[in-house]
Amino acid sequence: MGAGGRGSVFTVGHSNHPAEKLVGLLEGYGIEVLVDARSRPYSRHAPHFNARALRGTLSGAGIAYLFLGGELGGRPAGDEFYDADGRVDYALLARSGPFLDGISRLEKELRARTLALLCSEEDPAGCHRRLLVGRALGERGIVVRHIRGDGSVLTEGEEHGAQPVLFTEAEVSPRKSIRSVSPKRRPPSSSGR
């Protein structure tokens, strides 16, 4: 069993960090597998986090890479998951077959190795890795720990001790993405096209 312990998973956002910083954060928590939960594993602003480059960097550090963005990504392919404003309905997505398959795969991997879910946002507060994937894992009794850019960890549901609580019972959430992410709902360009 990995250092994260059975029944727990880490998450991390690559932000605009250098690749070496991300590797250091992962190594600091004994991460054996980085699970890419981005729907599109590419970054215009940080190309060293594009899937191919990231896989190479991780391999050099002895960390495995697993892409599950098709199952667990926050920008699903089906129009049925988006509301009229282009926001993803996480409650609906969380009941879909592919998402549930991805969660099952994560649970299987967690029994053998220490995992961290990757997305782009450093702050998990508004990220789908917390609002969608983390919530689904928490409902299954899996403790979710978010590695922050400074190396600290925020733990979901931990009500005592020094760690802040991210989900509270009183939290009211529409269970939707914070902003529009639909490829069909792009803002109009200034040229009128």
Side-chain angles (χ1 to χ4, degrees), residues 10-12 21-34 54 58 63 115-118 147:
F10 290 93
T11 81
V12 65
K21 176 160 183 152
L22 178 67
V23 168
L25 291 170
L26 299 173
E27 289 175 334
Y29 288 96
I31 304 302
E32 297 169 285
V33 181
L34 185 67
L54 180 58
L58 294 171
I63 300 170
L115 308 180
L117 295 170
L118 174 76
I147 302 171

Side-chain angles (χ1 to χ4, degrees), residues 151-180:
S152 65
V153 170
L154 298 175
T155 302
E156 295 289 347
E158 192 169 88
E159 298 185 31
H160 304 289
Q163 300 296 330
V165 176
L166 293 181
F167 288 132
T168 64
E169 289 187 31
E171 181 182 41
V172 176
S173 169
R175 296 288 314 262
K176 292 186 179 183
S177 57
I178 302 297
R179 59 185 166 72
S180 174

Side-chain angles (χ1 to χ4, degrees), residues 6-57:
R6 188 180 319 253
S8 68
V9 66
F10 290 93
T11 81
V12 65
H14 67 65
S15 187
N16 60 357
H17 299 307
E20 299 77 23
K21 176 160 183 152
L22 178 67
V23 168
L25 291 170
L26 299 173
E27 289 175 334
Y29 288 96
I31 304 302
E32 297 169 285
V33 181
L34 185 67
V35 179
D36 197 338
R38 300 174 294 169
S39 295
R40 297 173 190 93
Y42 306 99
S43 172
R44 285 190 318 251
H45 305 291
H48 51 283
F49 292 124
N50 291 348
R52 182 173 291 173
L54 180 58
R55 186 184 317 251
T57 299

